[in-house]
Amino acid sequence: MDMEAGTTVIRSVDDVLDARAVTTVFQPIVRLDSWWRKRHEVVGYEALTRGPAGTPWESPLELFDAAAERGRRAELDWICRATAYRAAMDAGLPYGLTLFVNTEPQALDVPCPPDLAPTILDAQLRLRVVAEMTVRAIGHDPSALLTAAEAGRAAGWGIALDDVGAEPASPALLPFVHPDVVKVDRHLTRRPDVDPAARVVNAIVAYAERSGAAVLAEGIETEEHLAAALGLGATLGQGWLFGRPGPLPPDVADRRSTLSVPFVVPPATTGGRTPYEIVAARKPTAEATKRMLLPLSRYLEAMAMDPAEPPILLASFQEGRFFTPATARRYASAAGTAALVAALATELPAEPAPGVRGTALGGDDPLRGEWNVVVVGPHFAGALVARDLADTGDDGDRRFTYALTYDRDLVLDTARALLHWIVPT
């Protein structure tokens, strides 16, 4: 099929990518309290990609799927972001208005194409950008998502976590990415009365109160949706009620907002330290045998099986043989509802139990000397961190120095550390 995009003949998705033949439309993001006063105060815009009109790749979903089949998904992500930045800068988007741009975390591991690099660098100086990442990314590659968030902040940009609430487990991911903006999935705006919605909303509000993040409700098309969004605690909104995607307004360069999208203070990086090193630097440690520590570990694992507030469960077992069949059954049970269940040990397969993410440790990995169990939910957080004292003899009599903590910030630091070890499947 031959389609023309400008003067370029488009026969394949490769032609689209080679010609950089994508366009950007923009949807306004508004301050919700201003809508009640009929002032319709715009605080920013989300950039949305479209492929060449009239081609099979006009839809962004079809475009990205086709690019992925050709092994060029990361390149397309760079193209889309550069095109959005250029369109915003050419229109004169002022620094006081925030530009939301979707970002694939894995794409940041791929070098920027040289022809796009000047636009990317120019945007870092001229635009106030929030990089949007979806909660689904953490399930595929937690390390890439955290690294991408850190890279975005290093560039002076904010982070938004998209689709929060699309699954009941998604709020458990908030403290790991530590987004500046929580984008509430549209189904909560449309159906705020369903039972899971209350739990999700409470988790989002708790995170926003602790962090100072803004809550943005998507899919607002009616006054009823707007009322529901305000009931969810959203301060920002997006949807057809405020404007459909299209070009930036001709007077965008002259527009101002009295409310800036907040950039919150990010968590400190773990610096490559292990969970035991992180906790032992701040908490006293004690000595115990493995037999004495097992009930503490089992308690934390039981807390990971709460279907009402699905958490994240991360554990390192030193060696694969310690991930026993009984352990595998417990972790598979937790994986049925949890946002993420992951295990790390030597000689561990990619899925050591149904639904469990496995990461094989090298023989000289510092985690091989530690036994860690970390659970983080929307409200509960606990961690057992233990360092092997290298005893011989019966497994249950092996001694560890250990610490048990329910300090949420400290537990989150240990969880972030472990997430950086988890590699994509």
Side-chain angles (χ1 to χ4, degrees), residues 75-310:
E75 181 185 359
L76 174 59
D77 187 72
W78 281 110
I79 294 169
C80 293
R81 282 186 281 126
T83 301
Y85 299 151
R86 177 50 55 199
M89 289 187 290
D90 288 349
L93 184 72
Y95 193 83
L97 298 182
T98 303
L99 181 67
F100 287 68
V101 180
N102 292 285
T103 303
E104 290 276 345
Q106 292 77 16
L108 298 184
D109 287 335
V110 177
C112 176
D115 64 304
L116 304 178
T119 298
I120 300 294
L121 294 174
D122 200 14
Q124 290 182 357
L125 299 174
R126 295 174 54 187
L127 297 175
R128 191 173 192 269
V129 173
V130 167
E132 285 195 27
M133 304 175 192
T134 176
V135 293
R136 296 177 179 88
I138 201 167
H140 171 69
D141 190 349
S143 179
L145 181 60
L146 296 186
T147 301
E150 291 166 4
R153 291 193 175 96
W157 293 347
I159 304 298
L161 195 60
D162 201 4
D163 302 324
V164 177
E167 299 174 358
S170 58
L173 307 173
L174 288 170
F176 299 98
V177 183
H178 204 76
D180 306 279
V181 180
V182 179
K183 298 195 73 174
V184 180
D185 189 73
R186 66 184 61 240
H187 92 273
L188 291 180
T189 307
R190 309 288 177 81
R191 292 294 310 277
D193 55 334
V194 296
D195 182 57
R199 294 193 293 269
V200 171
V201 170
N202 278 316
I204 292 171
V205 170
Y207 169 76
E209 284 186 340
R210 283 192 291 258
S211 66
V215 178
L216 190 160
E218 297 184 286
I220 300 175
E221 297 183 5
T222 67
E223 296 287 348
E224 289 75 18
H225 296 161
L226 174 58
L230 290 166
L232 296 174
T235 56
L236 304 176
Q238 181 179 357
W240 288 0
L241 182 63
F242 313 120
R244 299 197 178 203
L248 287 170
D251 64 343
V252 71
D254 300 322
R255 295 197 174 194
R256 298 292 182 268
S257 173
T258 60
L259 176 70
S260 293
V261 176
F263 286 2
V264 303
V265 177
T269 60
T270 57
R273 293 178 297 163
T274 66
Y276 181 86
E277 290 169 341
I278 291 169
V279 176
R282 293 171 53 185
K283 298 286 185 180
T285 60
E287 186 177 303
T289 65
K290 181 176 181 178
R291 188 174 288 107
M292 296 166 62
L293 294 177
L294 278 172
L296 304 179
S297 170
R298 299 281 173 80
Y299 171 77
L300 290 174
E301 291 169 354
M303 296 300 292
M305 299 183 190
D306 182 359
E309 294 183 351

Side-chain angles (χ1 to χ4, degrees), residues 25 38 43 87 100 133 141 164 168 172 264 316 371 393 397 399:
V25 291
K38 304 303 180 185
V43 300
F100 287 68
M133 304 175 192
D141 190 349
V164 177
V264 303
S316 61
W371 172 25
D397 293 330
R399 291 174 303 141

Side-chain angles (χ1 to χ4, degrees), residues 44-81:
Y45 295 87
E46 181 179 359
L48 303 167
T49 295
R50 301 289 185 265
T55 73
W57 310 284
E58 182 175 359
S59 158
L61 181 61
E62 297 296 332
L63 178 61
F64 271 88
D65 285 348
E69 291 179 0
R70 299 292 296 160
R72 301 180 70 178
R73 188 180 181 94
E75 181 185 359
L76 174 59
D77 187 72
W78 281 110
I79 294 169
C80 293
R81 282 186 281 126

